[in-house]
């Protein structure tokens, strides 16, 4: 393994940690090359919604690959993209009339930011300031790092990051400070506010209320500040509803979707925009054209996978599976929360999170120690600092969830004995 030329993401090769090889995956299980079976309790980094290798998605990919694999999307179109766009229009907020394709969560956010700035410039009233929330995460490119939390992840690149206005996370009983800061930023003529609705993922699975989300949207609307919902993680049922925004009755001006769009099988992203954002770029000449594209924009194979995902949502009892998983997560978490080392247990939809012991930085060694212990016990969990979260695929069985929580309890007991 150490002879591999691969440079892995978020991996310090100098630590010599093992890098297991996965040969096959099915439902919530990973089958390793060495014969072990691992429970995927984080949906392969939050993307796998229905389960690995869903037969309908796999079949759609195979059929499309044999028919039309790739085609330039600037000035050309194809049936899977058209079908997907119409399908998204049917289930996403009514005001989002336009669908722009890209390839990842990060690019969907870059596109959203460019749309927002283009909107103001093309209207002849340039606004440039972007408002963000403390602890937010929107991707790892320079633009998305600029609107995300600053820290150990991006210190080396800080000179390249653009300036933003950051408002505090709406901690319980301190929501007003967040709303006041947003109001002030909007009054100063902010171009857009970007936020992860109801739960900040990479920032530590921090959950806040739907009333606050609704109020933030209202404040933006009253000042014309565009409201960008980054539902890259929260979309596709993660928080219990198709979109987290639904729980607050919020219709964003711009919506970012990626993880879960193809059921987690293949990369694809969309940025959906309101008619006003689209119309600001619409003209009888090329002057206001939206200058963004990548080679694989709206790749037909990926679009076919996403169409199969929409079919699954339409025809299979997805909402029931999510409700059942949420209920099971709630029961397991309530039980685990009695352990003296567990702090701040929190839950939304299919996500359960808690802190182990007291706050520690991302670079403390608790996270890698726990990661290694989970791996030795054949459970894929990847703590964020001392925050452990369970975010499994919707097909996860009661027995599999029991095994995950039993492992968490065992690891907590080892950590407790060693502190
Ligand atoms: C993962 C994530 C992104 C980035 O998506 P990638 O596909 O990894 O580029 C953006 N926003 C949120 C909220 C995410 O969780």
């Amino acid at each position: 393994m150490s002879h591999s030329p691969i440079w892995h993401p978020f991996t310090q090769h100098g630590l010599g940690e093992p890098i297991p090889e996965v040969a096959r995956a099915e439902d919530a299980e990973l089958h390793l090359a060495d014969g072990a079976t691992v429970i995927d309790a984080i949906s392969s980094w939050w993307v796998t919604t229905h389960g690995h290798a869903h037969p309908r998605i796999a079949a759609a990919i195979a059929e499309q690959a044999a028919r039309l694999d790739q085609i330039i999307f600037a000035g050309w179109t194809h049936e899977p993209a058209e079908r997907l766009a119409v399908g998204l229009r049917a289930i996403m907020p009514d005001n989002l009339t336009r669908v722009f394709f890209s390839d990842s969560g990060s690019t969907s956010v870059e596109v959203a930011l460019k749309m927002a700035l283009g909107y103001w410039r093309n209207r002849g009233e340039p606004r440039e300031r972007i408002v963000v929330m403390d602890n937010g995460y929107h991707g790892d490119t320079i633009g998305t790092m600029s609107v995300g939390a600053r820290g150990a992840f991006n210190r080396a690149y800080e000179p390249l990051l653009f300036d933003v206005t950051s408002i505090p996370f709406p901690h319980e009983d301190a929501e007003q400070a967040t709303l006041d800061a947003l109001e002030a930023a909007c009054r100063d003529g902010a171009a857009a506010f970007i936020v992860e609705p109801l739960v900040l993922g990479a920032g530590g699975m921090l959950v806040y209320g739907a009333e606050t989300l609704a109020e933030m949207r209202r404040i933006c609307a009253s000042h014309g500040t565009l409201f960008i919902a980054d539902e890259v993680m929260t979309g596709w049922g993660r928080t219990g509803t198709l979109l987290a925004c639904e729980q607050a009755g919020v219709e964003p001006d711009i919506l970012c979707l990626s993880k879960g769009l193809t059921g987690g099988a293949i990369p694809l992203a969309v940025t959906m925009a309101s008619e006003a954002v689209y119309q600001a770029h619409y003209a009888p000449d090329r002057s206001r054209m939206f200058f963004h594209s990548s080679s694989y924009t709206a790749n037909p194979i990926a679009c076919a996978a996403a169409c199969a995902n929409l079919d699954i949502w339409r025809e299979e009892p997805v909402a029931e599976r999510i409700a059942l998983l949420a209920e099971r997560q709630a029961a397991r978490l309530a039980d685990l929360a009695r352990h003296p080392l567990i702090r701040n247990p929190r839950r939304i939809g299919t996500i359960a999170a808690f802190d182990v012991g007291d706050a520690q930085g991302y670079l403390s060694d608790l996270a890698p120690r726990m990661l290694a212990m989970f791996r030795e016990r054949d459970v894929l969990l990847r703590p964020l600092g001392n925050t452990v979260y369970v975010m499994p695929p919707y097909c996860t069985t009661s027995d599999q969830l029991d095994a995950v929580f039993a492992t968490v309890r065992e690891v907590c007991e080892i950590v407790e004995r060693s502190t």
Side-chain angles (χ1 to χ4, degrees):
M1 199 64 85
S2 60
H3 297 300
S4 168
I6 294 173
W7 187 347
H8 284 266
F10 273 78
T11 301
Q12 176 47 271
H13 287 277
L15 293 171
E17 290 165 346
I19 299 184
E21 184 179 325
V22 182
R24 200 164 58 75
E26 193 182 2
D27 300 329
E29 285 182 345
L30 310 175
H31 301 282
L32 305 195
D34 68 7
T37 298
V38 172
I39 301 174
D40 185 354
I42 60 163
S43 301
S44 283
W45 243 356
W46 322 347
V47 300
T48 306
T49 47
H50 311 295
H52 287 279
H54 191 292
R56 290 176 83 157
I57 296 173
I61 289 172
E63 278 165 32
Q64 187 59 43
R67 186 176 308 127
L68 172 66
D69 53 353
Q70 163 68 1
I71 176 73
I72 175 175
F73 207 60
W76 295 78
T77 195
H78 53 79
E79 188 272 337
E82 296 292 344
R83 184 153 44 98
L84 176 55
V86 169
L88 288 170
R89 275 282 286 125
I91 58 171
M92 293 299 162
D94 270 351
N95 69 311
L96 299 173
T97 50
R98 304 291 165 171
V99 181
F100 191 93
F101 288 96
S102 65
D103 318 303
S104 70
S106 297
T107 53
S108 74
V109 171
E110 295 278 354
V111 164
L113 297 173
K114 287 172 72 171
M115 281 178 176
L117 261 64
Y119 168 85
W120 288 110
R121 173 164 287 265
N122 291 341
R123 286 162 55 104
E125 33 180 329
R127 290 195 193 185
E128 278 128 38
R129 174 75 31 175
I130 306 290
V131 185
V132 307
M133 183 178 279
D134 285 350
N135 300 110
Y137 177 81
H138 301 287
D140 277 348
T141 56
I142 297 292
T144 59
M145 280 192 295
S146 298
V147 293
R150 311 290 164 98
F153 307 99
N154 46 41
R155 195 148 295 135
Y157 328 112
E158 203 144 3
L160 298 184
L161 306 186
F162 59 76
D163 236 16
V164 296
T165 298
S166 197
I167 65 169
F169 176 82
H171 288 288
E172 209 175 337
D173 299 326
E175 293 89 352
Q176 195 56 44
T178 301
L179 301 177
D180 291 347
L182 181 60
E183 176 89 45
C186 290
R187 208 178 311 114
D188 280 352
F193 171 53
I194 181 164
V195 72
E196 299 162 81
L198 299 189
V199 51
L200 274 51
M205 298 297 158
L206 305 175
V207 179
Y208 64 93
E211 317 73 48
T212 306
L213 179 61
E215 195 57 20
M216 292 191 301
R217 204 282 169 260
R218 192 199 59 72
I219 290 169
C220 287
S222 71
H223 294 278
T225 299
L226 294 174
F227 185 94
I228 305 174
D230 178 354
E231 294 240 19
V232 169
M233 184 200 79
T234 49
W236 303 104
R238 268 298 156 207
T239 67
T241 44
L242 179 64
L243 293 184
C245 278
E246 260 173 66
Q247 295 177 41
V250 160
E251 295 196 336
D253 296 301
I254 302 178
L255 169 70
C256 303
L257 294 171
S258 182
K259 293 169 179 143
L261 171 56
T262 62
I266 190 169
L268 185 69
V270 295
T271 307
M272 295 185 69
S274 69
E275 193 61 17
V277 171
Y278 175 79
Q279 286 301 334
H281 291 84
Y282 188 92
D285 57 46
R286 285 170 208 280
S287 58
R288 296 176 177 186
M289 198 155 70
F290 186 54
F291 292 107
H292 193 99
S293 177
S294 55
S295 309
Y296 286 101
T297 298
N299 171 262
I301 302 170
C303 289
C307 287
N309 175 44
L310 291 188
D311 292 343
I312 291 167
W313 272 87
R314 243 188 321 263
E315 292 161 28
E316 294 187 17
V318 178
E320 286 83 345
R321 283 178 202 147
I322 289 170
L324 186 60
L325 177 58
E327 203 176 287
R328 288 172 174 165
Q329 286 270 65
R332 304 307 189 281
L333 184 64
D335 198 29
L336 181 72
R338 287 197 281 271
H339 192 282
L341 215 56
I342 302 297
R343 311 264 198 281
N344 193 17
R346 47 206 189 267
R347 206 188 60 73
I348 181 166
T350 67
I351 307 171
F354 47 89
D355 302 339
V356 177
D358 296 315
Q360 308 195 16
Y362 182 84
L363 297 179
S364 89
D365 75 339
L366 183 60
R369 268 178 59 215
M370 290 196 291
L371 179 80
M373 288 190 274
F374 291 137
R375 192 164 45 209
E376 282 156 19
R377 287 159 182 78
D378 292 330
V379 172
L380 171 49
L381 281 172
R382 197 182 157 97
L384 291 157
N386 66 326
T387 296
V388 175
Y389 62 89
V390 180
M391 193 196 291
Y394 307 153
C395 63
T396 303
T397 65
S398 188
D399 287 351
Q400 286 166 336
L401 204 60
D402 277 338
V404 170
F405 276 84
T407 302
V408 168
R409 181 178 294 277
E410 190 190 342
V411 165
C412 284
E413 264 142 32
I414 295 169
V415 169
E416 193 181 26
R417 280 200 299 275
S418 70
T419 49

